[in-house]
């Protein structure tokens, strides 16, 4: 039986999104063949395995005895009745804030209220606190099938302002064999340059900031892009996280990216105000985004929570114009953003939850929604594609589901996760109800 931590060489009898049943061959972390399954299996008769406890956030990586895929020798996974997808991606997280809701002032409010609550808590945060909560979050992401995470990390108040950055880069390095983690330093307005240089010296991967919240968004955009050019780092900016269209800092970002030749190195996250533009103005802005080669990251769960509270009726969605962006050929990814902190007290660390929200609130179809949390996320982060396709990285999540919509609709508790050809997580769930057993049938 292939155990967690071991390489995977062959996955047999698994279903693909197009409905075909296939055998997938992996060599050195790359998919080398996807062939029709050698044996016909009725998915409804395929066993999931003996009852075991689910692998939760605290125990992701545990290899439960007798779990699904046990047939065959080392390196083999037999998965009849399972759907094989590309491993999911979280292109925008805040792991330094994850699971801090219980410790903060629990104010259900808008963005400004969330910032105030977090800033008060951040005064007391230690590096070990950041490390512990972030590691818990990564464990949950991994168990859910997410093997790629970009996390923003604050320069914190107090005598050791880089303590959170240090914790995040240390954690990133510790888990690099299990998942890909990128750390973006979130630079507040007016941060002294020596402090920024210190964060970069710790090995951050990306520069981030929030120009739209600054007194002079143009000056802040210029400052952040100057730093990116000087240090040779990609840029991922929180952009126009408001429903009003009085601040459209994305236009200045597009202008400067084109002038500087930073094409395909810049991400604009949130972009909520794009969903409030009139069609003609939206078309103009989208043309600028496409010309600049900027990727857009939508963050539905947090922006649905934060935005629109000031509207007594007809509350608008806190989402950019997703369909229009996709139809125009803009690279669009989606993430969960915050996880049980003042900016969002909910969340499962599950990109399938994000995709589901894009269907219900963003009116995308299932295939488009899935792409934003798989291929779209990897494109945004500058990574090669993964999934069950010849030549792709062997990064998979297998879900006990009959179809893509079934996989995205429910929690999909039973999951098997492969990263670069290595089994990194297996979750098996035993669920029994009186409706599925012979117990207590009504007369």
């Amino acid at each position: 039986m292939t155990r967690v931590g071991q390489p995977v060489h062959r996955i047999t009898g698994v279903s693909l999104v197009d409905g075909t049943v296939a055998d997938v061959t992996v060599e050195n972390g790359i998919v080398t063949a996807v062939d029709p399954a050698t044996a016909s299996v009725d998915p409804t008769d395929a066993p999931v395995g003996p009852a075991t406890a689910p692998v939760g956030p605290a125990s992701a990586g545990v290899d439960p005895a007798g779990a699904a895929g046990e047939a065959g020798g080392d390196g083999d996974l037999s998965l009849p009745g399972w759907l094989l997808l590309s491993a999911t991606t979280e292109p925008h997280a805040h792991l330094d804030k994850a699971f801090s809701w219980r410790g903060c002032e629990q104010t259900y409010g808008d963005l400004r209220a969330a910032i105030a609550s977090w800033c008060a808590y951040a005064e007391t945060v230690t590096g070990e606190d950041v490390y512990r909560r972030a590691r818990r979050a990564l464990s949950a992401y991994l168990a859910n099938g997410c093997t790629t995470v970009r996390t923003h990390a604050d320069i914190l108040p107090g005598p050791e302002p880089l303590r959170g950055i240090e914790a995040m880069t240390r954690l990133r390095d510790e888990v690099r064999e299990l998942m890909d983690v990128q750390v973006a330093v979130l630079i507040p307005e007016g941060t002294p340059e020596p402090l920024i240089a210190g964060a970069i010296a710790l090995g951050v991967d990306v520069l981030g900031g929030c120009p739209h919240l600054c007194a002079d968004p143009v000056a802040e955009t210029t400052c952040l892009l100057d730093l990116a050019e000087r240090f040779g780092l990609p840029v991922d900016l929180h952009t126009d996280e408001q429903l009003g269209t009085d601040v459209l800092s994305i236009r200045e970002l597009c202008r400067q990216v084109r002038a500087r030749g930073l094409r395909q190195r810049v991400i604009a996250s949130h972009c909520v105000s794009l969903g409030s533009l009139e069609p003609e103005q939206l078309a103009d802005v989208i043309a600028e985004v496409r010309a600049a080669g900027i990727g857009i990251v939508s963050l539905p769960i947090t922006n649905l929570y934060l935005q629109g509270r000031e509207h007594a009726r007809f509350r608008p969605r806190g989402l950019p114009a997703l369909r229009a962006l996709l139809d125009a050929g803009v690279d669009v990814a989606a993430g969960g953003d915050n996880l049980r902190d003042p900016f969002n007290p909910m969340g499962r660390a599950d990109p399938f939850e994000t995709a589901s929200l894009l269907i219900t609130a963003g009116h995308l179809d299932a295939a488009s929604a899935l792409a934003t949390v798989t291929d779209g996320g990897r494109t945004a982060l500058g990574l090669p594609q993964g999934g069950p396709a010849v030549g792709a990285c062997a990064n998979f999540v297998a879900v006990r589901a009959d179809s893509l919509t079934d996989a995205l609709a429910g929690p999909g508790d039973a999951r098997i996760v492969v990263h670069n050809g290595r089994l990194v997580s297996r979750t098996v769930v035993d669920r029994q109800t009186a409706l599925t057993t012979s117990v207590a049938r009504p007369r």
Side-chain angles (χ1 to χ4, degrees):
M1 180 181 76
T2 303
R3 295 184 174 275
V4 169
Q6 291 183 324
V8 173
H9 303 301
R10 190 168 173 81
I11 302 174
T12 57
V14 73
S15 297
L16 306 182
V17 172
D18 64 5
T20 61
V21 179
D23 297 336
V24 179
T25 303
V26 176
E27 295 180 9
N28 299 318
I30 302 296
V31 178
T32 58
V34 179
D35 300 311
T38 54
S40 177
V41 180
D42 181 357
T44 60
D45 294 333
V48 177
T52 66
V55 181
S59 58
V62 174
D63 182 19
E70 66 181 1
D74 288 349
D76 293 336
L77 292 173
S78 177
L79 296 178
W82 291 67
L83 181 65
L84 189 66
L85 305 171
S86 176
T88 55
T89 299
E90 174 51 78
H92 186 114
H94 289 268
L95 299 186
D96 58 341
K97 299 179 176 70
F99 298 112
S100 62
W101 174 252
R102 290 182 62 185
C104 295
E105 180 182 352
Q106 296 178 358
T107 301
Y108 293 88
D110 60 10
L111 180 60
R112 296 289 182 180
I115 291 173
S117 178
W118 166 252
C119 287
Y121 179 75
E123 296 277 355
T124 67
V125 165
T126 66
E128 283 306 307
D129 177 40
V130 169
Y131 176 89
R132 174 184 55 80
R133 288 184 289 99
R135 188 177 182 89
R136 177 186 172 193
L138 284 182
S139 295
Y141 275 115
L142 189 62
N144 284 326
C146 179
T147 64
T148 304
V149 177
R150 173 178 286 181
T151 178
H152 295 257
D154 286 10
I155 294 176
L156 295 168
E160 296 179 357
L162 299 182
R163 60 193 184 277
I165 305 290
E166 189 280 329
M168 290 308 313
T169 54
R170 173 164 60 101
L171 180 57
R172 174 201 63 194
D173 295 343
E174 287 179 3
V175 303
R176 67 171 62 252
E177 296 300 318
L178 303 177
M179 57 198 312
D180 297 318
V181 177
Q182 298 178 359
V183 178
V185 54
L186 191 56
I187 302 172
E189 183 180 18
T191 302
E193 191 165 317
L195 196 55
I196 298 172
I200 293 171
L202 287 172
V204 298
D205 305 285
V206 185
L207 289 181
C210 303
H212 67 288
L213 295 179
C214 299
D216 188 341
V218 173
E220 187 67 10
T221 298
T222 301
C223 176
L224 292 168
L225 295 184
D226 284 348
L227 288 168
E229 286 191 315
R230 187 182 317 165
F231 291 103
L233 291 174
V235 180
D236 190 335
L237 301 184
H238 290 58
T239 305
D240 301 334
E241 192 179 359
Q242 74 281 320
L243 293 170
T245 58
D246 52 318
V247 177
L248 277 176
S249 64
I250 192 169
R251 305 194 84 160
E252 176 64 20
L253 179 61
C254 290
R255 186 192 70 78
Q256 291 207 32
V257 166
R258 293 182 69 185
R260 295 167 183 259
L262 293 177
R263 184 175 176 85
Q264 303 301 332
R265 300 189 62 221
V266 178
I267 294 295
S269 295
H270 294 288
C271 301
V272 172
S273 60
L274 294 186
S276 300
L277 297 179
E278 294 295 334
E280 289 187 2
Q281 187 179 16
L282 174 63
D284 290 342
V285 175
I286 289 178
E288 293 175 29
V289 170
R290 185 175 181 184
I294 291 175
I296 302 294
V297 176
S298 176
L299 302 159
I301 188 169
T302 293
N303 285 137
L304 288 169
Y305 170 75
L306 291 174
Q307 265 71 47
R309 290 175 178 270
E310 70 277 17
H311 293 259
R313 58 196 294 269
F314 298 129
R315 284 183 173 170
R317 292 171 167 87
L319 299 173
L322 294 165
R323 188 73 266 167
L325 288 163
L326 288 169
D327 289 346
V330 174
D331 291 331
V332 177
D337 200 3
N338 296 84
L339 176 63
R340 302 186 203 175
D341 64 26
F343 298 81
N344 170 32
M346 299 288 103
R348 300 196 304 258
D350 185 358
F352 285 176
E353 180 182 37
T354 298
S356 176
L357 286 169
L358 293 185
I359 295 171
T360 56
H363 295 168
L364 294 187
D365 58 272
S368 296
L370 177 69
T372 67
V373 299
T374 53
D375 296 343
R378 293 183 70 83
T379 297
L381 273 53
L383 297 172
Q385 296 304 300
V390 174
C393 297
N395 295 338
F396 312 123
V397 55
V399 186
R400 184 72 171 175
D402 293 331
S403 68
L404 176 58
T405 52
D406 286 342
L408 299 181
D413 300 308
R415 301 189 190 186
I416 293 175
V417 188
V418 175
H419 179 61
N420 291 341
R422 181 183 179 190
L423 182 62
V424 292
S425 182
R426 177 192 277 127
T427 303
V428 180
V429 174
D430 177 40
R431 178 179 291 127
Q432 299 180 10
T433 74
L435 291 175
T436 58
T437 67
S438 60
V439 177
R441 292 188 184 277
R443 296 183 180 180

